[in-house]
């Protein structure tokens, strides 16, 4: 296990909101040795004392449930180094200390290529690991370049391209439920399944993140990474094991099998929209374009929907609809598997029988199977609902990810070839949208479903 974590961007939002609480949770679970060192590097002229005061404050705000002793231990372990990620000497100082380090690039993604070059010049010790957040590149070509830069620095096994969805217990349970139930696996193909809808509808708005979000939009923020990863877990062949190689090889197969959409298909199979002013519950929400930091000329979408087909034996003929939006009227975060109708109803059809739907609600977790129980004269739809007992996860998602980084298990991070394949799917859509082949619709904040979002 690596005992030293160096975070560049160590005074930023990601560090305060997610990484420090993740570390506190690991400490509480007894996963961190007393020799664990945390070095945070950034541009502020702070000393250790000022930095620790900030750490304590962040933990109070974002890890209020963590044990006081763990919060204090992380605060005491934290050291601060002023370092400019462009300066190899300063970076070398921040990572110095002997032995391998885990380097977390909690930086704007545009800085990744330069940061990787600087780490190279700063002689990153052998055995070190690198962690990067999404988006990994801006298109296929830039993802390939970034992968090449990383390959010149460390082996692929030492690169952790974070997708926090994969560390969510509920997401892992999706694969668990699929593979542990013969009754599901035998029906898990296009002969029985007409459509899979992967939905991440949020009531959250841009929440002060326009500086980042306005440059990416819903497609790159959510679909290119999280939703395609969910699709992989739904559609992958059963892996031999959940080791990093088996799991990621099978996910790659799914991504490679996705048929890229053509310019002719994109207007029918994709939608983009942006929220205007509205009300969510009793909260008035300004229009997206009036949020500080938004450039209306960019035409950034806050809602994206795409319909994909997979060219492989199991799924040819099933449609996969991925959709996500911000400032919607209700949170809906689920995978809904729509089975085909039965081929024949011997007692006639009175319209009350509906095809089965299996819903994996990812947040909050539950599993719902709509089964039709047929009475002597009429069909009665009986939803069978099973809600998994809510057990707090062992660690928050970022705790799990950090533990995997420190222990060197990249199974739940994205491999370089997966990132490239995901861009192969999304890049033609970005290109078509930038050429206005699909109009940018609008929906008032608080809408249940944006107008015309349901085409089928
Ligand atoms: C993040 C996106 O990766 O995932 C956000 O940048 C989104 O825009 C979030 O809201 C959703 O995940 P969670 O765990 O916050 O529900």
């Amino acid at each position: 296990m690596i005992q030293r974590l160096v975070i560049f961007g160590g005074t930023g939002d990601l560090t305060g909101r997610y990484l420090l609480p993740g570390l506190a949770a690991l400490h509480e679970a007894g996963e961190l040795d007393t020799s664990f060192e945390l070095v945070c590097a950034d541009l502020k002229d702070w000393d250790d004392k000022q930095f620790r005061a900030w750490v304590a404050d962040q933990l109070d705000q974002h890890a209020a449930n963590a044990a006081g002793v763990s919060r204090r231990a992380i605060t005491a372990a934290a050291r601060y180094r002023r370092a400019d990620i462009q300066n190899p000497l300063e970076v070398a100082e921040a990572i110095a200390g002997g032995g391998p380090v885990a380097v977390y690039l909690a930086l704007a993604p545009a800085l990744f290529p330069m940061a990787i070059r600087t780490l190279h010049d700063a002689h990153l010790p052998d055995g070190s690991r690198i962690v990067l957040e999404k988006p990994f590149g801006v298109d296929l070509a830039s993802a390939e370049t970034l992968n090449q830069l990383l390959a010149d620095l460390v082996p692929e096994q030492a690169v952790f391209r974070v997708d926090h969805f994969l560390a969510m217990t509920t997401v892992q349970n999706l694969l668990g439920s699929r593979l542990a139930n013969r009754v599901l696996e035998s029906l898990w193909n296009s002969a029985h399944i007409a459509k899979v809808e992967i939905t991440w509808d949020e009531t959250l708005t841009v929440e002060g993140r326009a500086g980042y979000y306005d440059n990416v939009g819903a497609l790159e923020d959510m679909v290119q990474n999280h939703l395609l990863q969910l699709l992989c877990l739904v559609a992958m062949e059963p892996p031999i094991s959940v080791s990093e190689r088996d799991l990621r090889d099978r996910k790659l197969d799914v991504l490679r099998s996705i048929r890229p959409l053509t310019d002719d298909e994109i207007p029918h199979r994709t939608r983009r929209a942006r929220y205007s002013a509205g009300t969510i519950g009793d909260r008035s929400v300004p229009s997206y374009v009036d949020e500080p930091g938004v450039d209306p000329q960019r035409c950034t979408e806050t809602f994206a929907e795409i319909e994909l087909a997979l060219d492989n034996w199991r799924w040819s003929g099933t449609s996969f609809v991925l959709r996500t939006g911000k400032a919607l009227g209700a949170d809906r975060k689920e995978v809904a598997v729509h089975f085909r109708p039965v081929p024949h109803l011997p007692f006639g059809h009175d319209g009350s029988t509906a095809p089965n739907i299996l819903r994996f609600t990812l947040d909050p977790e539950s599993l719902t199977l709509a089964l039709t129980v047929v009475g002597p004269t009429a069909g009665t739809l009986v939803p069978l609902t099973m809600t998994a007992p809510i057990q707090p996860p062992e660690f928050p998602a970022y705790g799990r990810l950090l533990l995997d980084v420190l222990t060197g298990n990249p199974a739940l991070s994205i491999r370089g070839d997966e990132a490239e394949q995901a861009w192969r799917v999304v890049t033609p859509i970005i290109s078509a949208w930038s050429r206005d082949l699909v109009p940018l619709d609008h929906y008032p904040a608080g809408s249940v479903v944006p107008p015309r979002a349901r085409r089928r």
Side-chain angles (χ1 to χ4, degrees), residues 65-77:
N65 293 335
V69 64
S70 296
R71 282 188 273 152
R72 285 190 294 278
I74 296 301
T75 308

Side-chain angles (χ1 to χ4, degrees), residues 138-153:
V138 294
D139 56 14
L140 176 56
S142 55
E144 285 171 344
T145 306
L146 208 44
N147 275 336
Q148 190 51 54
L149 282 171
L150 283 163
D152 292 343
L153 183 65

Side-chain angles (χ1 to χ4, degrees), residues 73-336:
I74 296 301
T75 308
R79 285 185 293 132
Y80 183 73
R81 289 286 167 275
R82 195 210 165 276
D84 180 347
I85 193 66
Q86 305 195 49
N87 183 326
L89 287 178
E90 291 179 11
V91 167
E93 252 173 44
I95 59 178
V101 285
V103 173
Y104 206 117
L105 299 180
L107 299 166
L111 299 176
F112 290 163
M114 184 262 293
I116 297 164
R117 285 194 192 95
T118 314
L119 285 166
H120 198 274
D121 295 346
H123 302 296
L124 187 70
D126 283 350
S128 295
R129 301 178 189 134
I130 306 282
V131 194
L132 303 95
E133 288 281 331
K134 59 121 205 266
F136 186 79
V138 294
D139 56 14
L140 176 56
S142 55
E144 285 171 344
T145 306
L146 208 44
N147 275 336
Q148 190 51 54
L149 282 171
L150 283 163
D152 292 343
L153 183 65
V154 288
E156 173 61 35
Q157 298 267 4
V159 181
F160 291 74
R161 297 173 193 78
V162 166
D163 187 314
H164 78 280
F165 272 41
L166 293 176
M168 288 181 188
T169 323
T170 52
V171 168
Q172 290 167 12
N173 283 349
L174 175 63
L175 195 57
S177 312
R178 232 198 90 183
L179 299 180
N181 288 293
R182 190 174 190 120
V183 68
L184 290 187
E185 194 51 32
S186 53
L187 298 175
W188 214 251
N189 54 56
S190 65
H192 298 286
I193 295 175
K195 180 170 70 172
V196 176
E197 285 179 325
I198 300 176
T199 304
W200 202 268
D201 283 357
E202 299 180 302
T203 50
L204 275 184
T205 66
V206 69
E207 314 284 334
R209 295 168 70 221
Y212 153 76
Y213 192 86
D214 201 42
N215 287 300
V216 289
L219 187 65
E220 292 178 51
D221 180 47
M222 291 292 293
V223 178
Q224 191 274 343
N225 36 73
H226 303 320
L227 299 196
L228 281 176
Q229 284 293 318
L230 289 177
L231 188 155
C232 286
L233 298 183
V234 174
M236 73 200 286
E237 292 301 315
I240 298 169
S241 75
V242 288
S243 69
E244 62 85 15
R245 178 173 167 194
D246 290 334
L247 198 58
R248 302 198 294 180
D249 280 355
R250 296 291 76 79
K251 286 196 290 159
L252 183 70
D253 289 344
V254 174
L255 291 165
R256 288 183 54 222
S257 74
I258 298 175
R259 192 187 313 152
L261 295 174
T262 63
D263 274 0
D264 286 343
E265 292 168 322
I266 285 171
H268 313 291
R269 295 185 187 273
T270 74
R271 284 180 48 77
R272 57 179 181 143
R274 184 160 78 179
Y275 68 84
S276 49
T279 311
I280 306 176
D282 51 13
R283 189 161 57 108
S284 288
V285 172
S287 174
Y288 175 75
V289 292
D290 293 331
E291 292 281 0
V294 167
D295 176 0
Q297 303 303 323
R298 278 210 190 97
C299 290
T300 302
E301 78 286 351
T302 58
F303 173 92
E305 183 184 85
I306 68 175
E307 181 180 358
L308 298 171
L310 271 52
D311 282 332
N312 64 28
W313 188 295
R314 188 189 283 259
W315 292 116
S316 179
T318 298
S319 115
F320 289 82
V321 180
L322 278 51
R323 117 187 193 139
T324 184
K326 291 209 179 284
L328 294 168
D331 283 303
R332 194 157 69 90
K333 298 167 181 178
E334 64 174 29
V335 172

